[in-house]
Amino acid sequence: MKSPSQSRDRGIPEATVARLPLYLRALNGMAERGVATVSSEDLAMAAGVNSAKLRKDLSHLGSYGTRGVGYDVEYLVYQISRELGLTQDWAVAIVGVGNLGRALANYGGFVSRGFRVAGLLDADPEVVGDDIAGLNVEHIDVLEAVIERRGVSIVVLATPAVAAQEVCDRVVAAGVTSILNFAPVVLSVPDGVDVRKVDLSIELQILAFHEQRKAGGPLMAVDSQ
Amino acid sequence: MKSPSQSRDRGIPEATVARLPLYLRALNGMAERGVATVSSEDLAMAAGVNSAKLRKDLSHLGSYGTRGVGYDVEYLVYQISRELGLTQDWAVAIVGVGNLGRALANYGGFVSRGFRVAGLLDADPEVVGDDIAGLNVEHIDVLEAVIERRGVSIVVLATPAVAAQEVCDRVVAAGVTSILNFAPVVLSVPDGVDVRKVDLSIELQILAFHEQRKAGGPLMAVDSQ
DNA sequence: ATCCCTTTGTGAAGCGATGCACAAAGTCGG
DNA sequence: CCGACTTTGTGCATCGCTTCACAAAGGGAT
Ligand SMILES: NC(=O)c1ccc[n+]([C@@H]2O[C@H](COP(=O)([O-])OP(=O)(O)OC[C@H]3O[C@@H](n4cnc5c(N)ncnc54)[C@H](O)[C@@H]3O)[C@@H](O)[C@H]2O)c1
Ligand SMILES: NC(=O)c1ccc[n+]([C@@H]2O[C@H](COP(=O)([O-])OP(=O)(O)OC[C@H]3O[C@@H](n4cnc5c(N)ncnc54)[C@H](O)[C@@H]3O)[C@@H](O)[C@H]2O)c1
């Protein structure tokens, strides 16, 4: 039973949260092209979703549209940004500066909006000291100090699988509660810690499953992004 | 036992398909450690899911367990591999050999199981001709020839966002129906083409949302992987 | 002020996924 | 061969998300 707390309904569905960045990206593109207002139909098209779903998603944030007109692009950009917490700056540390870690460090795309790479850490003495994208790679020994001093609140894990849980335990102990994990392991974390994983291998296997099915029978329902 | 009859249950839920690679990874680890059989409880623990869910997932493939005992690890590895289409070899082409494309090409993890990088393609003359992980980077002009001659059925897109849709159109026209997209754009494809996307920026934004909420109010439900 | 047109916001139905709980099916010791 | 024990496979209630469909709300023309 839920109590009828008439206060602010901060219960935004997880599925909605996952789509807000998509809307935001589409809206930013429109703002750049000078579009002032957009209908749910057009925005849904740009984001690749159903328009009713888009309207319901946005309704969770509030009533920011105008009936008969649509949504003000800039205003909506601001509202979604605020809801996602992008109006503040997030310090991110990347642990494991190998092939993938380097690519991430060099990637300008996420630094641009709200996220700032505040630390690169690795265990390999060969790697420590390297300069990558203007940052010096530090030794994993100073992990806790880096997290604390630079206010790191999100850690990206790009170490080999065997090291991931150990590093995870350390960053959690240091107070981090948001982790993006690229290592192919199921991390075990205490309640209150958020782990999201990106797993290339799983994605390929899912594609292979559907590909095999297409080759087999003529009955299929595909696509989804 | 179950005979490979013609009446296979092809209606495996998408959510189940997405978890099979997780089970497979856990099972492979157990097989390496010499574990012969495993209960749904233990396997679920290793994969980080509910045991009832695991049993229901596996029941979609058939009745491969033994009541009172559990599942034979090697047999289950084979069955899941077969279901996912990993008993055959998949030729993968990577288009866009920049920071990310290089990391992917150098990554041994997915080449090991069923997937083989059969081509690296880029538009930049500076990059074309480079040798990466034993493969020569070819010019995007020969995309169609590479796909056709080497039987490429899965394409990994790692080009800048602006080029993604154009390259996508070409690979689809060349007959590819499975695409893994790293570019931050919503690809538009015809029915029957599977697109999966990996979007670092979206993952970070979702983490930021929850992080902000944690800092704000004391009412939260977190974690999920 | 009134009418018409467009588009939002949402009630409600539909659909698939989740997790509990247990009967059925198997093992194993005696 | 039996009876205690273990673990699977699944019926069922529930939950959350999606989609349809439409009343309500606003803008603009006359
Ligand atoms: N490269 C890819 O395309 C790719 C794709 C999918 C998944 N992954 C996964 O991402 C992770 C990184 O992949 P990669 O290709 O960059 O591997 P890599 O071996 O090139 O890099 C790993 C880095 O982590 C460092 N490291 C090892 N132990 C450490 C520790 N305890 N603390 C800090 N740093 C440590 C190593 O020194 C190395 O620099 C792996 O788990 C891999 O499975 C990579
Ligand atoms: N690097 C990351 O960590 C990261 C993370 C998330 C998303 N992404 C996305 O992945 C994509 C690649 O990122 P990156 O950092 O490797 O970029 P990059 O600029 O280093 O590499 C892109 C490569 O694509 C090539 N290219 C451009 N147009 C092409 C075309 N028409 N056909 C073939 N090749 C073409 C370029 O020559 C270049 O080598 C981008 O869309 C980026 O937004 C990258």
Side-chain angles (χ1 to χ4, degrees):
Chain A
M1 291 298 170
K2 278 277 189 266
S3 65
S5 64
Q6 193 48 49
S7 59
R8 205 80 87 76
D9 186 6
R10 281 294 185 206
I12 298 182
E14 192 56 35
T16 295
V17 173
R19 281 187 296 266
L20 290 179
L22 226 52
Y23 305 151
L24 188 55
R25 184 177 289 156
L27 286 165
N28 276 321
M30 289 171 178
E32 268 172 37
R33 290 197 303 279
V35 178
T37 65
V38 64
S39 69
S40 63
E41 198 69 48
D42 291 351
L43 181 51
M45 180 82 69
V49 303
N50 178 296
S51 73
K53 180 151 62 180
L54 174 108
R55 287 197 299 276
K56 185 149 287 187
D57 282 344
L58 294 184
S59 77
H60 288 293
L61 315 191
S63 274
Y64 298 139
T66 307
R67 292 167 194 239
V69 177
Y71 301 88
D72 182 278
V73 173
E74 278 195 42
Y75 186 56
L76 199 50
V77 163
Y78 170 73
Q79 290 297 344
I80 295 180
S81 296
R82 194 177 48 78
E83 196 65 52
L84 287 173
L86 303 181
T87 47
Q88 61 185 283
D89 216 58
W90 297 100
V92 177
I94 299 174
V95 183
V97 191
N99 289 314
L100 187 59
R102 272 161 213 270
L104 297 175
N106 279 314
Y107 181 50
F110 70 97
V111 180
S112 63
R113 288 202 251 277
F115 302 95
R116 181 174 44 87
V117 180
L120 300 176
L121 299 134
D122 203 290
D124 188 346
E126 290 280 316
V127 176
V128 172
D130 284 9
D131 277 332
I132 296 171
L135 244 84
N136 196 271
V137 178
E138 292 164 276
H139 195 273
I140 187 70
D141 282 353
V142 298
L143 174 67
E144 287 79 5
V146 166
I147 290 173
E148 201 172 329
R149 297 234 186 89
R150 298 181 204 155
V152 169
S153 45
I154 299 177
V155 165
V156 175
L157 269 181
T159 68
V162 285
Q165 182 65 59
E166 181 201 322
V167 174
C168 172
D169 290 344
R170 285 181 62 183
V171 303
V172 168
V176 171
T177 57
S178 292
I179 296 170
L180 181 52
N181 178 34
F182 285 86
V185 283
V186 177
L187 293 179
S188 140
V189 291
D191 282 1
V193 176
D194 245 321
V195 177
R196 295 196 66 87
K197 69 163 193 283
V198 173
D199 199 317
L200 170 67
S201 167
I202 288 181
E203 299 301 325
L204 283 176
Q205 289 176 47
I206 295 171
L207 285 175
F209 171 83
H210 291 300
E211 190 66 27
Q212 176 180 241
R213 174 176 286 198
K214 286 176 209 164
L219 279 167
M220 48 199 167
V222 200
D223 193 285
S224 62
Q225 307 224 3
Chain B
M1 279 293 114
K2 198 77 163 66
S3 65
S5 67
Q6 62 275 55
S7 60
R8 300 245 186 77
D9 186 0
R10 288 293 188 193
I12 298 182
E14 193 56 34
T16 295
V17 173
R19 281 187 297 266
L20 290 179
L22 226 52
Y23 305 151
L24 188 55
R25 183 178 289 156
L27 285 166
N28 277 320
M30 290 172 177
E32 268 171 37
R33 290 197 304 278
V35 178
T37 64
V38 64
S39 69
S40 63
E41 198 68 48
D42 291 351
L43 182 52
M45 181 81 70
V49 303
N50 178 295
S51 72
K53 181 152 59 181
L54 174 107
R55 286 198 298 277
K56 187 153 289 187
D57 282 344
L58 295 184
S59 77
H60 288 293
L61 314 190
S63 272
Y64 297 139
T66 307
R67 290 167 196 239
V69 177
Y71 300 88
D72 182 278
V73 173
E74 278 195 40
Y75 186 56
L76 199 51
V77 163
Y78 170 72
Q79 290 298 343
I80 295 180
S81 295
R82 193 177 50 78
E83 196 65 51
L84 287 173
L86 303 181
T87 48
Q88 60 185 283
D89 217 58
W90 297 100
V92 177
I94 299 174
V95 182
V97 192
N99 289 315
L100 187 58
R102 272 160 214 269
L104 297 174
N106 279 314
Y107 181 50
F110 71 97
V111 179
S112 64
R113 289 201 253 276
F115 302 94
R116 180 174 44 85
V117 180
L120 300 176
L121 299 133
D122 203 291
D124 188 346
E126 290 280 315
V127 176
V128 173
D130 283 10
D131 277 332
I132 296 171
L135 243 84
N136 197 272
V137 178
E138 293 163 274
H139 195 273
I140 188 70
D141 283 353
V142 298
L143 174 67
E144 288 79 5
V146 166
I147 290 173
E148 201 173 330
R149 298 234 186 90
R150 298 181 204 155
V152 169
S153 46
I154 300 176
V155 165
V156 174
L157 270 182
T159 67
V162 283
Q165 183 65 59
E166 181 200 324
V167 173
C168 173
D169 290 344
R170 284 181 62 183
V171 304
V172 168
V176 171
T177 58
S178 293
I179 295 170
L180 181 52
N181 178 35
F182 284 86
V185 283
V186 177
L187 293 179
S188 138
V189 292
D191 283 359
V193 176
D194 244 322
V195 176
R196 295 195 66 86
K197 69 163 194 286
V198 173
D199 199 318
L200 170 66
S201 166
I202 287 182
E203 299 301 325
L204 284 176
Q205 289 177 48
I206 295 172
L207 284 175
F209 170 83
H210 291 300
E211 191 66 27
Q212 175 180 241
R213 173 175 287 198
K214 287 176 210 166
L219 277 167
M220 48 196 167
V222 200
D223 193 287
S224 62
Q225 307 225 2

mmCIF file of all heavy atoms in Angstrom, chain A residues 147-178:
data_model
loop_
_atom_site.group_PDB
_atom_site.id
_atom_site.type_symbol
_atom_site.label_atom_id
_atom_site.label_comp_id
_atom_site.label_asym_id
_atom_site.label_seq_id
_atom_site.Cartn_x
_atom_site.Cartn_y
_atom_site.Cartn_z
ATOM 1 N N ILE A 147 39.290 10.547 -5.758
ATOM 2 C CA ILE A 147 37.831 10.599 -5.627
ATOM 3 C C ILE A 147 37.415 11.676 -4.634
ATOM 4 O O ILE A 147 36.534 12.500 -4.918
ATOM 5 C CB ILE A 147 37.280 9.230 -5.184
ATOM 6 C CG1 ILE A 147 37.413 8.218 -6.330
ATOM 7 C CG2 ILE A 147 35.838 9.335 -4.726
ATOM 8 C CD1 ILE A 147 37.053 6.793 -5.945
ATOM 9 N N GLU A 148 38.073 11.684 -3.507
ATOM 10 C CA GLU A 148 37.687 12.619 -2.457
ATOM 11 C C GLU A 148 38.024 14.065 -2.810
ATOM 12 O O GLU A 148 37.166 14.941 -2.768
ATOM 13 C CB GLU A 148 38.377 12.217 -1.159
ATOM 14 C CG GLU A 148 37.679 12.773 0.079
ATOM 15 C CD GLU A 148 38.280 12.186 1.349
ATOM 16 O OE1 GLU A 148 38.743 11.030 1.305
ATOM 17 O OE2 GLU A 148 38.298 12.906 2.367
ATOM 18 N N ARG A 149 39.269 14.296 -3.214
ATOM 19 C CA ARG A 149 39.725 15.670 -3.457
ATOM 20 C C ARG A 149 39.026 16.330 -4.640
ATOM 21 O O ARG A 149 38.792 17.528 -4.635
ATOM 22 C CB ARG A 149 41.235 15.679 -3.733
ATOM 23 C CG ARG A 149 42.040 15.198 -2.556
ATOM 24 C CD ARG A 149 43.113 16.180 -2.125
ATOM 25 N NE ARG A 149 43.935 15.561 -1.083
ATOM 26 C CZ ARG A 149 45.021 14.840 -1.349
ATOM 27 N NH1 ARG A 149 45.436 14.704 -2.600
ATOM 28 N NH2 ARG A 149 45.702 14.281 -0.368
ATOM 29 N N ARG A 150 38.711 15.511 -5.669
ATOM 30 C CA ARG A 150 38.129 16.135 -6.871
ATOM 31 C C ARG A 150 36.622 15.964 -6.958
ATOM 32 O O ARG A 150 36.008 16.255 -7.979
ATOM 33 C CB ARG A 150 38.803 15.555 -8.116
ATOM 34 C CG ARG A 150 40.288 15.876 -8.119
ATOM 35 C CD ARG A 150 41.030 15.368 -9.312
ATOM 36 N NE ARG A 150 42.442 15.208 -8.968
ATOM 37 C CZ ARG A 150 43.277 14.381 -9.579
ATOM 38 N NH1 ARG A 150 42.850 13.653 -10.596
ATOM 39 N NH2 ARG A 150 44.523 14.280 -9.184
ATOM 40 N N GLY A 151 36.047 15.448 -5.891
ATOM 41 C CA GLY A 151 34.591 15.317 -5.860
ATOM 42 C C GLY A 151 34.032 14.403 -6.920
ATOM 43 O O GLY A 151 32.947 14.636 -7.462
ATOM 44 N N VAL A 152 34.746 13.324 -7.203
ATOM 45 C CA VAL A 152 34.281 12.367 -8.210
ATOM 46 C C VAL A 152 33.037 11.651 -7.704
ATOM 47 O O VAL A 152 33.036 11.096 -6.609
ATOM 48 C CB VAL A 152 35.378 11.321 -8.520
ATOM 49 C CG1 VAL A 152 34.804 10.180 -9.351
ATOM 50 C CG2 VAL A 152 36.543 11.978 -9.233
ATOM 51 N N SER A 153 31.968 11.685 -8.503
ATOM 52 C CA SER A 153 30.750 11.000 -8.073
ATOM 53 C C SER A 153 30.347 9.890 -9.023
ATOM 54 O O SER A 153 29.472 9.087 -8.727
ATOM 55 C CB SER A 153 29.604 11.999 -7.910
ATOM 56 O OG SER A 153 29.561 12.868 -9.003
ATOM 57 N N ILE A 154 30.994 9.825 -10.181
ATOM 58 C CA ILE A 154 30.715 8.740 -11.127
ATOM 59 C C ILE A 154 32.036 8.126 -11.560
ATOM 60 O O ILE A 154 32.959 8.850 -11.948
ATOM 61 C CB ILE A 154 29.960 9.255 -12.370
ATOM 62 C CG1 ILE A 154 28.611 9.871 -11.966
ATOM 63 C CG2 ILE A 154 29.748 8.125 -13.370
ATOM 64 C CD1 ILE A 154 27.835 10.474 -13.124
ATOM 65 N N VAL A 155 32.128 6.804 -11.478
ATOM 66 C CA VAL A 155 33.348 6.119 -11.888
ATOM 67 C C VAL A 155 33.063 5.215 -13.086
ATOM 68 O O VAL A 155 32.071 4.469 -13.093
ATOM 69 C CB VAL A 155 33.936 5.284 -10.733
ATOM 70 C CG1 VAL A 155 34.977 4.303 -11.247
ATOM 71 C CG2 VAL A 155 34.546 6.197 -9.673
ATOM 72 N N VAL A 156 33.915 5.315 -14.085
ATOM 73 C CA VAL A 156 33.824 4.439 -15.244
ATOM 74 C C VAL A 156 34.872 3.344 -15.108
ATOM 75 O O VAL A 156 36.058 3.630 -14.970
ATOM 76 C CB VAL A 156 34.054 5.222 -16.553
ATOM 77 C CG1 VAL A 156 34.087 4.271 -17.739
ATOM 78 C CG2 VAL A 156 32.974 6.275 -16.739
ATOM 79 N N LEU A 157 34.421 2.111 -15.114
ATOM 80 C CA LEU A 157 35.307 0.965 -14.948
ATOM 81 C C LEU A 157 35.677 0.374 -16.302
ATOM 82 O O LEU A 157 34.825 -0.151 -17.013
ATOM 83 C CB LEU A 157 34.617 -0.112 -14.116
ATOM 84 C CG LEU A 157 34.814 -0.063 -12.605
ATOM 85 C CD1 LEU A 157 34.085 -1.228 -11.946
ATOM 86 C CD2 LEU A 157 36.292 -0.108 -12.281
ATOM 87 N N ALA A 158 36.952 0.449 -16.646
ATOM 88 C CA ALA A 158 37.419 -0.115 -17.924
ATOM 89 C C ALA A 158 38.662 -0.973 -17.707
ATOM 90 O O ALA A 158 39.569 -0.990 -18.517
ATOM 91 C CB ALA A 158 37.696 1.002 -18.925
ATOM 92 N N THR A 159 38.664 -1.666 -16.595
ATOM 93 C CA THR A 159 39.764 -2.590 -16.292
ATOM 94 C C THR A 159 39.416 -3.970 -16.845
ATOM 95 O O THR A 159 38.285 -4.205 -17.239
ATOM 96 C CB THR A 159 39.959 -2.723 -14.773
ATOM 97 O OG1 THR A 159 38.814 -3.388 -14.225
ATOM 98 C CG2 THR A 159 40.104 -1.370 -14.110
ATOM 99 N N PRO A 160 40.398 -4.884 -16.842
ATOM 100 C CA PRO A 160 40.055 -6.258 -17.191
ATOM 101 C C PRO A 160 39.035 -6.808 -16.184
ATOM 102 O O PRO A 160 38.927 -6.303 -15.064
ATOM 103 C CB PRO A 160 41.391 -7.006 -17.060
ATOM 104 C CG PRO A 160 42.432 -5.958 -17.213
ATOM 105 C CD PRO A 160 41.844 -4.713 -16.631
ATOM 106 N N ALA A 161 38.309 -7.833 -16.590
ATOM 107 C CA ALA A 161 37.228 -8.387 -15.778
ATOM 108 C C ALA A 161 37.698 -8.800 -14.387
ATOM 109 O O ALA A 161 37.007 -8.548 -13.393
ATOM 110 C CB ALA A 161 36.599 -9.575 -16.502
ATOM 111 N N VAL A 162 38.869 -9.411 -14.307
ATOM 112 C CA VAL A 162 39.331 -9.916 -13.009
ATOM 113 C C VAL A 162 39.542 -8.817 -11.981
ATOM 114 O O VAL A 162 39.414 -9.054 -10.782
ATOM 115 C CB VAL A 162 40.653 -10.724 -13.146
ATOM 116 C CG1 VAL A 162 40.381 -12.089 -13.746
ATOM 117 C CG2 VAL A 162 41.682 -9.948 -13.954
ATOM 118 N N ALA A 163 39.887 -7.615 -12.438
ATOM 119 C CA ALA A 163 40.180 -6.528 -11.499
ATOM 120 C C ALA A 163 38.935 -5.716 -11.145
ATOM 121 O O ALA A 163 38.934 -4.954 -10.177
ATOM 122 C CB ALA A 163 41.248 -5.608 -12.081
ATOM 123 N N ALA A 164 37.859 -5.892 -11.901
ATOM 124 C CA ALA A 164 36.700 -4.999 -11.787
ATOM 125 C C ALA A 164 36.053 -5.013 -10.398
ATOM 126 O O ALA A 164 35.775 -3.952 -9.835
ATOM 127 C CB ALA A 164 35.667 -5.344 -12.853
ATOM 128 N N GLN A 165 35.810 -6.197 -9.845
ATOM 129 C CA GLN A 165 35.134 -6.253 -8.544
ATOM 130 C C GLN A 165 35.970 -5.598 -7.451
ATOM 131 O O GLN A 165 35.439 -4.877 -6.604
ATOM 132 C CB GLN A 165 34.813 -7.706 -8.173
ATOM 133 C CG GLN A 165 34.063 -7.852 -6.857
ATOM 134 C CD GLN A 165 32.672 -7.220 -6.914
ATOM 135 O OE1 GLN A 165 31.835 -7.592 -7.740
ATOM 136 N NE2 GLN A 165 32.427 -6.233 -6.057
ATOM 137 N N GLU A 166 37.266 -5.827 -7.505
ATOM 138 C CA GLU A 166 38.155 -5.258 -6.496
ATOM 139 C C GLU A 166 38.149 -3.725 -6.565
ATOM 140 O O GLU A 166 38.016 -3.040 -5.548
ATOM 141 C CB GLU A 166 39.578 -5.800 -6.726
ATOM 142 C CG GLU A 166 40.603 -5.314 -5.723
ATOM 143 C CD GLU A 166 42.016 -5.462 -6.291
ATOM 144 O OE1 GLU A 166 42.267 -6.476 -6.981
ATOM 145 O OE2 GLU A 166 42.846 -4.547 -6.068
ATOM 146 N N VAL A 167 38.283 -3.210 -7.768
ATOM 147 C CA VAL A 167 38.251 -1.762 -7.942
ATOM 148 C C VAL A 167 36.885 -1.216 -7.535
ATOM 149 O O VAL A 167 36.784 -0.190 -6.856
ATOM 150 C CB VAL A 167 38.550 -1.366 -9.407
ATOM 151 C CG1 VAL A 167 38.360 0.127 -9.601
ATOM 152 C CG2 VAL A 167 39.959 -1.782 -9.800
ATOM 153 N N CYS A 168 35.854 -1.930 -7.908
ATOM 154 C CA CYS A 168 34.485 -1.543 -7.553
ATOM 155 C C CYS A 168 34.349 -1.408 -6.043
ATOM 156 O O CYS A 168 33.833 -0.408 -5.544
ATOM 157 C CB CYS A 168 33.511 -2.577 -8.101
ATOM 158 S SG CYS A 168 31.817 -2.361 -7.549
ATOM 159 N N ASP A 169 34.814 -2.398 -5.310
ATOM 160 C CA ASP A 169 34.732 -2.356 -3.848
ATOM 161 C C ASP A 169 35.432 -1.113 -3.293
ATOM 162 O O ASP A 169 34.916 -0.470 -2.376
ATOM 163 C CB ASP A 169 35.378 -3.616 -3.250
ATOM 164 C CG ASP A 169 34.559 -4.876 -3.525
ATOM 165 O OD1 ASP A 169 33.375 -4.733 -3.896
ATOM 166 O OD2 ASP A 169 35.103 -5.987 -3.382
ATOM 167 N N ARG A 170 36.562 -0.795 -3.881
ATOM 168 C CA ARG A 170 37.302 0.367 -3.392
ATOM 169 C C ARG A 170 36.580 1.682 -3.671
ATOM 170 O O ARG A 170 36.530 2.557 -2.798
ATOM 171 C CB ARG A 170 38.708 0.406 -4.010
ATOM 172 C CG ARG A 170 39.654 -0.617 -3.391
ATOM 173 C CD ARG A 170 41.030 -0.546 -4.001
ATOM 174 N NE ARG A 170 41.707 0.738 -3.804
ATOM 175 C CZ ARG A 170 42.898 1.029 -4.317
ATOM 176 N NH1 ARG A 170 43.532 0.129 -5.063
ATOM 177 N NH2 ARG A 170 43.442 2.203 -4.105
ATOM 178 N N VAL A 171 36.053 1.832 -4.849
ATOM 179 C CA VAL A 171 35.379 3.105 -5.156
ATOM 180 C C VAL A 171 34.087 3.239 -4.343
ATOM 181 O O VAL A 171 33.728 4.335 -3.925
ATOM 182 C CB VAL A 171 35.082 3.280 -6.667
ATOM 183 C CG1 VAL A 171 36.361 3.172 -7.487
ATOM 184 C CG2 VAL A 171 34.043 2.314 -7.165
ATOM 185 N N VAL A 172 33.427 2.113 -4.090
ATOM 186 C CA VAL A 172 32.224 2.166 -3.260
ATOM 187 C C VAL A 172 32.600 2.547 -1.834
ATOM 188 O O VAL A 172 31.949 3.388 -1.207
ATOM 189 C CB VAL A 172 31.474 0.811 -3.279
ATOM 190 C CG1 VAL A 172 30.404 0.773 -2.193
ATOM 191 C CG2 VAL A 172 30.849 0.577 -4.645
ATOM 192 N N ALA A 173 33.678 1.955 -1.333
ATOM 193 C CA ALA A 173 34.152 2.288 0.015
ATOM 194 C C ALA A 173 34.523 3.766 0.108
ATOM 195 O O ALA A 173 34.385 4.384 1.159
ATOM 196 C CB ALA A 173 35.349 1.414 0.378
ATOM 197 N N ALA A 174 34.965 4.302 -1.017
ATOM 198 C CA ALA A 174 35.357 5.719 -1.036
ATOM 199 C C ALA A 174 34.149 6.643 -1.165
ATOM 200 O O ALA A 174 34.299 7.863 -1.219
ATOM 201 C CB ALA A 174 36.343 5.973 -2.173
ATOM 202 N N GLY A 175 32.957 6.048 -1.252
ATOM 203 C CA GLY A 175 31.749 6.864 -1.244
ATOM 204 C C GLY A 175 31.052 7.047 -2.574
ATOM 205 O O GLY A 175 30.014 7.694 -2.657
ATOM 206 N N VAL A 176 31.597 6.458 -3.628
ATOM 207 C CA VAL A 176 30.965 6.583 -4.950
ATOM 208 C C VAL A 176 29.733 5.683 -5.023
ATOM 209 O O VAL A 176 29.764 4.536 -4.573
ATOM 210 C CB VAL A 176 31.963 6.201 -6.063
ATOM 211 C CG1 VAL A 176 31.258 6.104 -7.409
ATOM 212 C CG2 VAL A 176 33.088 7.214 -6.118
ATOM 213 N N THR A 177 28.642 6.223 -5.568
ATOM 214 C CA THR A 177 27.419 5.423 -5.641
ATOM 215 C C THR A 177 26.899 5.298 -7.070
ATOM 216 O O THR A 177 25.781 4.835 -7.295
ATOM 217 C CB THR A 177 26.306 6.035 -4.767
ATOM 218 O OG1 THR A 177 26.069 7.374 -5.181
ATOM 219 C CG2 THR A 177 26.689 6.019 -3.304
ATOM 220 N N SER A 178 27.702 5.685 -8.050
ATOM 221 C CA SER A 178 27.300 5.539 -9.445
ATOM 222 C C SER A 178 28.469 5.006 -10.263
ATOM 223 O O SER A 178 29.525 5.637 -10.327
ATOM 224 C CB SER A 178 26.852 6.882 -10.022
ATOM 225 O OG SER A 178 25.652 7.306 -9.413
#
